[in-house]
Amino acid sequence: MGLTHPRVATGVVLLALLPLALTGCGLGGDDGPGAASDGGPQRAPAEEAAAKSRERVQAYLDAMAGKDVDAGRSQFCAPVQAAFDAAATGPNGDFADHFTVPQATITDVRSGPNGQEVSTSVTVAVGSRKATQALLFTVTRSGADWCISGEAPGGHTPEPSITP
């Protein structure tokens, strides 16, 4: 019976120290994913990835509609900028002189195997003729910034939204 009291005392001490240990590890307290070190809100990694990807692709769509090749190039990651330069102003490129972009819309953003996948619907007009094309952009993190690492025909059907 003399051994149970030290075990109980040790257990009580460990349980009393557990909240302090968890707080020191970032578990508990106000250091969770909803708080920043400056006291302001901080986005969860998935939310940040989706928001940054949407921002990059929207900036690219705006550049395409405005025929601003430099602004378009700046949205791409450095390793693919040479390919962008070679294709963007070509006869079928995103910035070709003979067509306009009257409408470009982001239709879906989701995580994919190579980064965030941003689906778009782009309407291209040549004179009075219009055609709508689905484009899929892949956006990845490059250091502290985000950039478009790929563009391909196609895209995802928007995921249904769940309303409470």
Side-chain angles (χ1 to χ4, degrees), residues 16 34 75 98 101 108 157:
Q75 303 310 313
H98 64 279
V101 180
D108 187 61
T157 303

Side-chain angles (χ1 to χ4, degrees), residues 1 4 19 58 63 65 71 77 94 113 129 146 154 163-164:
M1 186 106 157
T4 58
Q58 187 61 57
C77 300
D94 291 347
R129 295 183 356 206
W146 294 82
T163 56

